[in-house]
Structures are given as C-alpha cells and as structure tokens.
Amino acid sequence: MNRKSGVLMHISSLFGDYSIGGFGSEARYFIDFLADCGYSYWQVLPFCPSDECNSPYKSPSAFAGNPYFISLESLYKKGLLTDKEISSQKQSTPYVCEYERLYNERLAILKIASGRVADIEKIEAFISQNPYIENFCRFMAIKTSNNGKTWQEWESENYDDGDFFMWKFIQYEFFTQWSEIKKYANEKGIQIIGDVPIYVDLDSSDVWADKHLFKLDEKNMPVSVAGVPPDYFAADGQLWGNPIYDWKAMEKENFRWWRDRIAFMAKMFDGIRIDHFRAIESFWEVPAQAETAKEGSMSKGPGLKLIDAIKESCKDTLIIAEDLGFITEDVVRLVKESGFPGMRVFQFAFVGDKNSPHLPHNYNNHCIAYTGTHDNNTLLGYLWELDEGTRRYMLKYCGHQSTNWESGCDAIIRTMFASHAGLVIMPIQDLLGYGSDTRLNTPGKAEGNWGYRITKEQLDSIDKAKFRRLNELYSRI
C-alpha cells in the first residue's frame, strides 16, 4: 500500500447549527482541514438510519441514508423551507447531538419540505433506479400507518402516499447532497472510507423484503441472534440481537443481496470497512431466548464464497477487514486469502505478549493502523485508565522521556506515523488530545453513546502545520 494517513470522524460529530452534524458547508470545511494537514482519508461510520439507542450498527435499512444528515440550509436555499421553519430547528447546544429533539421534530420539518417539491420526476426516477431504497421508503410509510409497530405486528400494509413520498424525497436529498460532498472531497485529494455493519436489524426493510434470507420461525421471529462471546470489552459477551443470515439461502441466490449491498456502497465511498469481518469465517450464534451472549456458540460462515462475491461487486474499491476481537487462525487465514488489509489498534498493543500484531513494530505495510476506533476510549482517556507500570512501559516504547505522562499522546501519534503501516488513521478526539468525556461509544452500554460533536473553534485549534510536518516527515503525502 502507498503510505497515507487519515482521520476517523462520523458525520454526526461535525459542527453546525441544527442538533447534529450533516452534509452542509461544515463538511466541506472539514475536508479543507484534512487537505491542509496532508491527510488523504476521511473515515466515517455507517450512513444508515440509527436505532433507538442512536447506533448506526442496528438500522432499519442497510441501504438507506440517515434523514438527520440532510442539510436544512440546502433545503432553505431551494425554497423548500421558510425563515421561520429553519430557525425553529436551531440547536440548544453545539456540544452533543440532540437526539431526542431530532426524533421529535426533524421528520416533521422534512415532510413540510417534501410537500413543496416541484420536480417530482427526478425523485421518482432516482427511486425507480434503487429498488432497495424504494423498499425502505414503503416499509417506513407502512410502519407509520401501523403506529410504529414492528413489521411482524402490522395489521395492514396500507400507507399514506404523503408519507411514502416524504421518504422518497428524504432519500433523494440524502444521496444527492452526499454525492456533492464526496465529489468535493475527491477534488481536494481526500478519499472517503465508509462502514458496512455485518448485520441488519430484525425490524428492517431488508428482513421484511427478503425474509427467506434470514433464520426466522413461522411467526417471522428469529430462531437465533447475533452477538460476540465474552471478551476484553464485556465479561458476558455482547448480545446484539440481530437476526442471523441463512447462508445456504444466500448462496442459492449467488449472494445477490450482499453483491447488491457492496456494489451500492462502492458507489458511495472510495473504500469500505466491513465491520465484524470475522463473522464471514465463523460467527457467534445465540439462541433467541438467551439472556446473555455467553449462551451462544460458534457457527461456520460463508468464507471465501462470500469474499469472492464481494470482490466481484466492488472492483478496485479499498476493502478493510475489521479483524478484531476473538480471532482464530482460521480468521487470520481468511483475511490473508481475501487480500484485504486488516486492522491494527494501538490500544490493544499492550494487553498481550510481544508478538501482538497490534504492537507498531509488528505492523506490515498491508494494514490499517489506528490509535483507537469508535469503540475505544480516546487516547488520553486510555492513558489515564492504564495501570502505572503498563503506562510507563508503553510511553518508553514510544520514546516519551518526560515524567508528565499526559503529554504522551504526541509520542504515540508520532510512533503511529513512523510505523510501517500503509494507512494510519486517528479519531478526531486524538488530534485534539481530548479525554474520555468525548468518547463516542462504549460497547455493551446502551445509553450515553454517539453524542460527541466537535465545534468549529475546537477544529480550528488543531495545529494543522504540525500534522502536515508529520505526514511529510514520514512520507505519508
């Protein structure tokens, strides 16, 4: 791989005036920041609508876009919102995502905008070319007519045409606005890496429209659900609750659903991270009635058959295999056979022995190295929580001579830049040197996640010349 670097920050964490980051001018400002620093990549998290815990990893659609990311200013400039309407959406605080307010207000304002659209033909043409998006729009309209109940509880599949069109309008605007942002990024020399969750939600248009591709009983309820065994993050494992794919049924259709999904994502992004990649080799399957993930067991995944389908669907798109967690020799072999670069995380480097693949001196060029991911603490928070002995050894490893360990983040970042990893990526919080109060997500914890936002003033406080020097010094430009 060519030596490059990037920053991990989800769209929701962007600054702005409307309760959450989005596809407004702020996204272009951030792209300019990346280019000025000498970065080549912007990594984001899944763009799909989030669940009741605001997580994008359990979504009502694997294809649809999150309505909250749509730029209200763009709709205002098109004449679809009035001064009073857009002013009513101004946020109360710039520091966190105001999810409760978004949940209660955002769709209503988007429906008002959808009712003022004149060029309906463009929207209908977009929808007709994207059947999975159309499935989602119809699914959401039916869900509304059934008072938000899960699709297994629906009494009727009738829906309001206005609701159906609102969702079509939302998706058209989402993908139109995003394509403009991505074009701007590419023109600035910035590549975008997207994220593909391995599973979908039971209450999703994907399961509703393709029931036969999932392990469901006669009542359309899951026979078993997804999760992970006990690990570093959670003593009881993690009970995700997503339905399990029927891989035999998938294979009978030549992995049609997965081929379509990957091809769709390859059009949206320049690279794709496949979350929980190890499930392609084997996955943790938990009985649907189990109380914790500890009651699960390993089942065999589709392996190279799915890998080949993915490769055929995305051509030359960069695919990153998220090979973290409980990793066996079989998983290591599959990642190697796939040819996809795996992930290395500095925060995992000092919990094992000196052969750990997460130690920077063990990185090879064909990997993506992170100070931490969206599931980790910030670098400063990680240093704070380490025991004194491990922290002292780790900082010595990174050449940090000062007795003030709080200044050790710079030494770690320099170590990552200097490493042999082809691509080095750091969360925006680590560029700022922020602590655990800005952590984005804590696995296994239902509340208090996904809220972090940066302000423009904070972004402007980052020493761009410093990171450009590091990119130049370690040949990452």
Side-chain angles (χ1 to χ4, degrees):
M1 296 178 68
N2 293 328
R3 290 175 63 80
K4 299 293 181 183
S5 65
V7 174
L8 168 62
M9 186 180 75
H10 195 30
I11 294 293
S12 61
S13 294
L14 276 167
F15 60 92
D17 297 325
Y18 300 100
S19 300
I20 194 171
F23 296 154
S25 59
E26 299 83 8
R28 290 175 174 81
Y29 192 91
F30 183 67
I31 289 165
D32 291 342
F33 162 82
L34 293 173
D36 289 345
C37 290
Y39 288 112
S40 302
Y41 285 90
W42 177 7
Q43 183 171 339
V44 296
L45 301 181
F47 275 11
C48 46
S50 52
D51 68 1
E52 65 277 3
C53 295
N54 309 314
S55 170
Y57 288 92
K58 195 175 180 185
S59 175
S61 173
F63 293 82
N66 190 330
Y68 301 157
F69 296 166
I70 291 174
S71 167
L72 297 184
E73 290 181 345
S74 176
L75 302 185
Y76 173 74
K77 290 175 182 177
K78 291 180 180 180
L80 300 179
L81 294 176
T82 66
D83 288 331
K84 183 178 180 180
E85 288 162 352
I86 194 169
S87 295
S88 73
Q89 299 298 300
K90 285 289 182 74
Q91 64 202 17
S92 299
T93 175
Y95 300 110
V96 294
C97 297
E98 298 177 324
Y99 285 116
E100 185 175 356
R101 184 177 179 192
L102 289 164
Y103 181 81
N104 290 325
E105 299 179 16
R106 189 54 53 90
L107 288 184
I109 206 76
L110 292 174
K111 187 167 187 179
I112 290 172
S114 73
R116 295 176 179 147
V117 173
D119 196 354
I120 295 174
E121 289 76 15
K122 277 188 179 179
I123 296 174
E124 295 294 354
F126 168 78
I127 295 299
S128 66
Q129 294 165 10
N130 292 277
Y132 291 97
I133 298 296
E134 184 171 10
N135 279 343
F136 168 75
C137 295
R138 183 173 288 107
F139 175 85
M140 294 304 291
I142 299 172
K143 191 175 183 67
T144 299
S145 71
N146 282 273
N147 298 313
K149 293 179 180 177
T150 61
W151 62 267
Q152 295 90 342
E153 301 173 295
W154 289 351
E155 297 173 1
S156 166
E157 293 200 357
N158 296 325
Y159 54 84
D160 178 79
D161 288 339
D163 288 335
F164 188 27
F165 183 74
M166 175 194 73
W167 282 105
K168 290 191 281 189
F169 163 76
I170 286 171
Q171 294 305 307
Y172 172 80
E173 279 295 327
F174 179 97
F175 287 101
T176 299
Q177 291 185 16
W178 171 245
S179 67
E180 293 170 356
I181 296 295
K182 182 178 179 296
K183 180 182 178 183
Y184 183 82
N186 292 165
E187 289 172 350
K188 286 280 187 172
I190 303 299
Q191 304 284 296
I192 311 289
I193 298 174
D195 197 307
V196 175
I198 192 73
Y199 294 117
V200 298
D201 192 9
L202 174 63
D203 191 24
S204 67
S205 59
D206 307 291
V207 182
W208 169 67
D210 279 305
K211 304 175 186 67
H212 65 291
L213 297 180
F214 299 84
K215 288 186 175 182
L216 306 178
D217 62 21
E218 64 281 357
K219 294 182 180 180
N220 289 320
M221 297 302 291
V223 174
S224 55
V225 295
V228 291
D231 62 9
Y232 175 79
F233 285 123
D236 285 336
Q238 297 174 45
L239 188 60
W240 294 342
N242 308 77
I244 297 293
Y245 297 113
D246 186 333
W247 286 116
K248 289 183 179 179
M250 286 272 186
E251 188 175 351
K252 284 181 181 178
E253 296 188 2
N254 197 24
F255 300 103
R256 178 262 309 169
W257 186 87
W258 268 95
R259 286 175 182 272
D260 292 346
R261 185 186 191 189
I262 295 298
F264 188 83
M265 295 297 155
K267 290 179 181 178
M268 286 182 66
F269 304 108
D270 303 297
I272 304 166
R273 186 193 84 123
I274 299 180
D275 180 62
H276 200 55
F277 183 88
R278 68 105 54 242
I280 296 176
E281 190 281 318
S282 56
F283 54 92
W284 196 248
E285 188 168 7
V286 186
Q289 307 306 319
E291 293 186 4
T292 73
K294 286 198 294 187
E295 299 176 51
S297 59
M298 278 292 180
S299 297
K300 207 67 178 171
L304 280 175
K305 294 177 181 178
L306 178 60
I307 299 297
D308 290 341
I310 289 172
K311 287 181 175 179
E312 291 169 7
S313 303
C314 68
K315 298 180 181 178
D316 297 325
T317 302
L318 169 68
I319 301 291
I320 301 172
E322 191 266 283
D323 54 346
L324 306 176
F326 175 60
I327 301 302
T328 63
E329 286 301 316
D330 288 336
V331 178
V332 172
R333 189 179 305 111
L334 181 65
V335 174
K336 185 176 181 179
E337 290 173 343
S338 75
F340 302 151
M343 290 175 57
R344 303 294 178 263
V345 180
F346 182 84
Q347 292 189 34
F348 296 154
F350 298 89
V351 295
D353 59 31
K354 293 184 180 181
N355 294 316
S356 169
H358 299 288
L359 279 164
H361 70 265
N362 289 328
Y363 296 168
N364 59 42
N365 174 258
H366 194 62
C367 76
I368 318 297
Y370 298 77
T371 49
T373 74
H374 67 277
D375 282 335
N376 288 108
N377 202 342
T378 66
L379 199 52
L380 182 61
Y382 162 73
L383 281 174
W384 175 269
E385 294 179 359
L386 275 180
D387 66 90
E388 186 177 349
T390 302
R391 184 167 58 220
R392 189 185 303 114
Y393 173 76
M394 186 202 68
L395 291 175
K396 181 180 179 182
Y397 176 96
C398 294
H400 183 66
Q401 304 298 328
S402 171
T403 55
N404 177 17
W405 64 262
E406 292 183 18
S407 63
C409 290
D410 279 349
I412 295 170
I413 288 172
R414 180 179 287 267
T415 299
M416 297 295 284
F417 269 101
S419 75
H420 195 46
L423 176 56
V424 171
I425 293 180
M426 297 158 197
I428 189 67
Q429 297 96 314
D430 291 350
L431 271 62
L432 286 156
Y434 283 176
S436 57
D437 56 327
T438 64
R439 180 172 182 164
L440 187 63
N441 182 54
T442 303
K445 179 184 173 186
E447 304 296 329
N449 294 320
W450 312 108
Y452 170 72
R453 291 181 75 191
I454 191 173
T455 67
K456 181 177 181 296
E457 293 73 22
Q458 290 167 348
L459 184 66
D460 287 342
S461 74
I462 295 173
D463 186 349
K464 292 185 285 189
K466 165 185 154 183
F467 288 102
R468 189 165 193 90
R469 284 194 300 271
L470 287 171
N471 274 307
E472 291 172 345
L473 181 61
Y474 295 111
S475 301
R476 294 191 179 276
I477 295 181

PDB file of all heavy atoms in Angstrom, residues 167-181:
ATOM      1  N   TRP A 167     -40.509   9.995   2.378  1.00  0.00           N
ATOM      2  CA  TRP A 167     -39.325   9.155   2.498  1.00  0.00           C
ATOM      3  C   TRP A 167     -38.543   9.102   1.193  1.00  0.00           C
ATOM      4  O   TRP A 167     -37.299   9.075   1.195  1.00  0.00           O
ATOM      5  CB  TRP A 167     -39.700   7.757   2.979  1.00  0.00           C
ATOM      6  CG  TRP A 167     -39.959   7.729   4.449  1.00  0.00           C
ATOM      7  CD1 TRP A 167     -41.159   7.646   5.088  1.00  0.00           C
ATOM      8  CD2 TRP A 167     -38.967   7.848   5.479  1.00  0.00           C
ATOM      9  NE1 TRP A 167     -40.993   7.704   6.452  1.00  0.00           N
ATOM     10  CE2 TRP A 167     -39.661   7.819   6.722  1.00  0.00           C
ATOM     11  CE3 TRP A 167     -37.584   7.980   5.486  1.00  0.00           C
ATOM     12  CZ2 TRP A 167     -38.990   7.911   7.940  1.00  0.00           C
ATOM     13  CZ3 TRP A 167     -36.917   8.069   6.695  1.00  0.00           C
ATOM     14  CH2 TRP A 167     -37.615   8.029   7.907  1.00  0.00           C
ATOM     15  N   LYS A 168     -39.237   9.103   0.066  1.00  0.00           N
ATOM     16  CA  LYS A 168     -38.540   9.138  -1.224  1.00  0.00           C
ATOM     17  C   LYS A 168     -37.766  10.454  -1.375  1.00  0.00           C
ATOM     18  O   LYS A 168     -36.622  10.460  -1.841  1.00  0.00           O
ATOM     19  CB  LYS A 168     -39.541   8.938  -2.365  1.00  0.00           C
ATOM     20  CG  LYS A 168     -40.101   7.521  -2.429  1.00  0.00           C
ATOM     21  CD  LYS A 168     -40.884   7.246  -3.695  1.00  0.00           C
ATOM     22  CE  LYS A 168     -42.269   7.804  -3.649  1.00  0.00           C
ATOM     23  NZ  LYS A 168     -43.098   7.355  -4.804  1.00  0.00           N
ATOM     24  N   PHE A 169     -38.396  11.547  -0.999  1.00  0.00           N
ATOM     25  CA  PHE A 169     -37.745  12.849  -1.027  1.00  0.00           C
ATOM     26  C   PHE A 169     -36.513  12.865  -0.125  1.00  0.00           C
ATOM     27  O   PHE A 169     -35.441  13.342  -0.517  1.00  0.00           O
ATOM     28  CB  PHE A 169     -38.748  13.922  -0.573  1.00  0.00           C
ATOM     29  CG  PHE A 169     -38.123  15.225  -0.168  1.00  0.00           C
ATOM     30  CD1 PHE A 169     -37.657  16.123  -1.120  1.00  0.00           C
ATOM     31  CD2 PHE A 169     -37.984  15.556   1.181  1.00  0.00           C
ATOM     32  CE1 PHE A 169     -37.072  17.330  -0.740  1.00  0.00           C
ATOM     33  CE2 PHE A 169     -37.405  16.765   1.572  1.00  0.00           C
ATOM     34  CZ  PHE A 169     -36.943  17.649   0.612  1.00  0.00           C
ATOM     35  N   ILE A 170     -36.640  12.345   1.092  1.00  0.00           N
ATOM     36  CA  ILE A 170     -35.530  12.297   2.041  1.00  0.00           C
ATOM     37  C   ILE A 170     -34.348  11.541   1.451  1.00  0.00           C
ATOM     38  O   ILE A 170     -33.195  12.000   1.511  1.00  0.00           O
ATOM     39  CB  ILE A 170     -35.974  11.654   3.369  1.00  0.00           C
ATOM     40  CG1 ILE A 170     -36.856  12.623   4.169  1.00  0.00           C
ATOM     41  CG2 ILE A 170     -34.774  11.202   4.202  1.00  0.00           C
ATOM     42  CD1 ILE A 170     -37.509  12.009   5.386  1.00  0.00           C
ATOM     43  N   GLN A 171     -34.610  10.388   0.862  1.00  0.00           N
ATOM     44  CA  GLN A 171     -33.517   9.582   0.319  1.00  0.00           C
ATOM     45  C   GLN A 171     -32.881  10.248  -0.898  1.00  0.00           C
ATOM     46  O   GLN A 171     -31.653  10.217  -1.066  1.00  0.00           O
ATOM     47  CB  GLN A 171     -34.008   8.170  -0.004  1.00  0.00           C
ATOM     48  CG  GLN A 171     -34.421   7.374   1.217  1.00  0.00           C
ATOM     49  CD  GLN A 171     -33.320   7.307   2.270  1.00  0.00           C
ATOM     50  OE1 GLN A 171     -32.180   6.929   1.983  1.00  0.00           O
ATOM     51  NE2 GLN A 171     -33.646   7.712   3.500  1.00  0.00           N
ATOM     52  N   TYR A 172     -33.699  10.858  -1.736  1.00  0.00           N
ATOM     53  CA  TYR A 172     -33.158  11.579  -2.891  1.00  0.00           C
ATOM     54  C   TYR A 172     -32.242  12.707  -2.421  1.00  0.00           C
ATOM     55  O   TYR A 172     -31.130  12.872  -2.925  1.00  0.00           O
ATOM     56  CB  TYR A 172     -34.300  12.133  -3.745  1.00  0.00           C
ATOM     57  CG  TYR A 172     -33.826  13.051  -4.847  1.00  0.00           C
ATOM     58  CD1 TYR A 172     -33.317  12.530  -6.034  1.00  0.00           C
ATOM     59  CD2 TYR A 172     -33.861  14.439  -4.688  1.00  0.00           C
ATOM     60  CE1 TYR A 172     -32.859  13.378  -7.043  1.00  0.00           C
ATOM     61  CE2 TYR A 172     -33.407  15.288  -5.681  1.00  0.00           C
ATOM     62  CZ  TYR A 172     -32.903  14.748  -6.856  1.00  0.00           C
ATOM     63  OH  TYR A 172     -32.448  15.581  -7.850  1.00  0.00           O
ATOM     64  N   GLU A 173     -32.697  13.490  -1.458  1.00  0.00           N
ATOM     65  CA  GLU A 173     -31.898  14.599  -0.946  1.00  0.00           C
ATOM     66  C   GLU A 173     -30.619  14.096  -0.280  1.00  0.00           C
ATOM     67  O   GLU A 173     -29.540  14.655  -0.462  1.00  0.00           O
ATOM     68  CB  GLU A 173     -32.706  15.440   0.048  1.00  0.00           C
ATOM     69  CG  GLU A 173     -33.634  16.435  -0.589  1.00  0.00           C
ATOM     70  CD  GLU A 173     -32.899  17.532  -1.372  1.00  0.00           C
ATOM     71  OE1 GLU A 173     -31.787  17.918  -0.958  1.00  0.00           O
ATOM     72  OE2 GLU A 173     -33.434  17.976  -2.388  1.00  0.00           O
ATOM     73  N   PHE A 174     -30.748  13.045   0.499  1.00  0.00           N
ATOM     74  CA  PHE A 174     -29.584  12.486   1.187  1.00  0.00           C
ATOM     75  C   PHE A 174     -28.490  12.129   0.192  1.00  0.00           C
ATOM     76  O   PHE A 174     -27.343  12.564   0.323  1.00  0.00           O
ATOM     77  CB  PHE A 174     -29.992  11.252   1.996  1.00  0.00           C
ATOM     78  CG  PHE A 174     -28.850  10.591   2.713  1.00  0.00           C
ATOM     79  CD1 PHE A 174     -28.592  10.856   4.047  1.00  0.00           C
ATOM     80  CD2 PHE A 174     -28.011   9.688   2.057  1.00  0.00           C
ATOM     81  CE1 PHE A 174     -27.528  10.258   4.709  1.00  0.00           C
ATOM     82  CE2 PHE A 174     -26.939   9.090   2.709  1.00  0.00           C
ATOM     83  CZ  PHE A 174     -26.709   9.373   4.043  1.00  0.00           C
ATOM     84  N   PHE A 175     -28.827  11.321  -0.801  1.00  0.00           N
ATOM     85  CA  PHE A 175     -27.809  10.828  -1.718  1.00  0.00           C
ATOM     86  C   PHE A 175     -27.329  11.900  -2.690  1.00  0.00           C
ATOM     87  O   PHE A 175     -26.161  11.889  -3.103  1.00  0.00           O
ATOM     88  CB  PHE A 175     -28.320   9.589  -2.450  1.00  0.00           C
ATOM     89  CG  PHE A 175     -28.386   8.375  -1.565  1.00  0.00           C
ATOM     90  CD1 PHE A 175     -29.592   7.956  -1.018  1.00  0.00           C
ATOM     91  CD2 PHE A 175     -27.233   7.684  -1.233  1.00  0.00           C
ATOM     92  CE1 PHE A 175     -29.647   6.850  -0.178  1.00  0.00           C
ATOM     93  CE2 PHE A 175     -27.279   6.574  -0.396  1.00  0.00           C
ATOM     94  CZ  PHE A 175     -28.485   6.166   0.142  1.00  0.00           C
ATOM     95  N   THR A 176     -28.191  12.856  -3.029  1.00  0.00           N
ATOM     96  CA  THR A 176     -27.768  13.964  -3.878  1.00  0.00           C
ATOM     97  C   THR A 176     -26.776  14.854  -3.139  1.00  0.00           C
ATOM     98  O   THR A 176     -25.722  15.211  -3.682  1.00  0.00           O
ATOM     99  CB  THR A 176     -28.979  14.802  -4.323  1.00  0.00           C
ATOM    100  OG1 THR A 176     -29.886  13.980  -5.073  1.00  0.00           O
ATOM    101  CG2 THR A 176     -28.542  15.964  -5.207  1.00  0.00           C
ATOM    102  N   GLN A 177     -27.102  15.193  -1.891  1.00  0.00           N
ATOM    103  CA  GLN A 177     -26.196  16.028  -1.106  1.00  0.00           C
ATOM    104  C   GLN A 177     -24.878  15.319  -0.843  1.00  0.00           C
ATOM    105  O   GLN A 177     -23.801  15.933  -0.920  1.00  0.00           O
ATOM    106  CB  GLN A 177     -26.863  16.436   0.209  1.00  0.00           C
ATOM    107  CG  GLN A 177     -28.022  17.412   0.041  1.00  0.00           C
ATOM    108  CD  GLN A 177     -28.581  17.878   1.382  1.00  0.00           C
ATOM    109  OE1 GLN A 177     -27.957  17.719   2.437  1.00  0.00           O
ATOM    110  NE2 GLN A 177     -29.773  18.454   1.350  1.00  0.00           N
ATOM    111  N   TRP A 178     -24.944  14.023  -0.515  1.00  0.00           N
ATOM    112  CA  TRP A 178     -23.707  13.292  -0.235  1.00  0.00           C
ATOM    113  C   TRP A 178     -22.818  13.213  -1.473  1.00  0.00           C
ATOM    114  O   TRP A 178     -21.592  13.353  -1.378  1.00  0.00           O
ATOM    115  CB  TRP A 178     -23.972  11.894   0.306  1.00  0.00           C
ATOM    116  CG  TRP A 178     -22.696  11.091   0.387  1.00  0.00           C
ATOM    117  CD1 TRP A 178     -22.363   9.972  -0.299  1.00  0.00           C
ATOM    118  CD2 TRP A 178     -21.541  11.423   1.181  1.00  0.00           C
ATOM    119  NE1 TRP A 178     -21.082   9.573   0.015  1.00  0.00           N
ATOM    120  CE2 TRP A 178     -20.556  10.443   0.920  1.00  0.00           C
ATOM    121  CE3 TRP A 178     -21.257  12.448   2.084  1.00  0.00           C
ATOM    122  CZ2 TRP A 178     -19.308  10.454   1.533  1.00  0.00           C
ATOM    123  CZ3 TRP A 178     -20.004  12.468   2.691  1.00  0.00           C
ATOM    124  CH2 TRP A 178     -19.047  11.479   2.420  1.00  0.00           C
ATOM    125  N   SER A 179     -23.395  12.989  -2.634  1.00  0.00           N
ATOM    126  CA  SER A 179     -22.583  12.882  -3.849  1.00  0.00           C
ATOM    127  C   SER A 179     -21.820  14.175  -4.109  1.00  0.00           C
ATOM    128  O   SER A 179     -20.673  14.154  -4.603  1.00  0.00           O
ATOM    129  CB  SER A 179     -23.450  12.526  -5.062  1.00  0.00           C
ATOM    130  OG  SER A 179     -24.332  13.583  -5.390  1.00  0.00           O
ATOM    131  N   GLU A 180     -22.413  15.315  -3.757  1.00  0.00           N
ATOM    132  CA  GLU A 180     -21.739  16.595  -3.920  1.00  0.00           C
ATOM    133  C   GLU A 180     -20.581  16.736  -2.928  1.00  0.00           C
ATOM    134  O   GLU A 180     -19.514  17.256  -3.276  1.00  0.00           O
ATOM    135  CB  GLU A 180     -22.740  17.736  -3.743  1.00  0.00           C
ATOM    136  CG  GLU A 180     -23.795  17.779  -4.861  1.00  0.00           C
ATOM    137  CD  GLU A 180     -24.920  18.747  -4.564  1.00  0.00           C
ATOM    138  OE1 GLU A 180     -24.942  19.335  -3.453  1.00  0.00           O
ATOM    139  OE2 GLU A 180     -25.793  18.920  -5.441  1.00  0.00           O
ATOM    140  N   ILE A 181     -20.794  16.262  -1.688  1.00  0.00           N
ATOM    141  CA  ILE A 181     -19.726  16.299  -0.684  1.00  0.00           C
ATOM    142  C   ILE A 181     -18.568  15.399  -1.111  1.00  0.00           C
ATOM    143  O   ILE A 181     -17.393  15.786  -1.037  1.00  0.00           O
ATOM    144  CB  ILE A 181     -20.258  15.867   0.700  1.00  0.00           C
ATOM    145  CG1 ILE A 181     -21.319  16.840   1.211  1.00  0.00           C
ATOM    146  CG2 ILE A 181     -19.109  15.738   1.702  1.00  0.00           C
ATOM    147  CD1 ILE A 181     -20.833  18.226   1.489  1.00  0.00           C
TER     148      ILE A 181
END
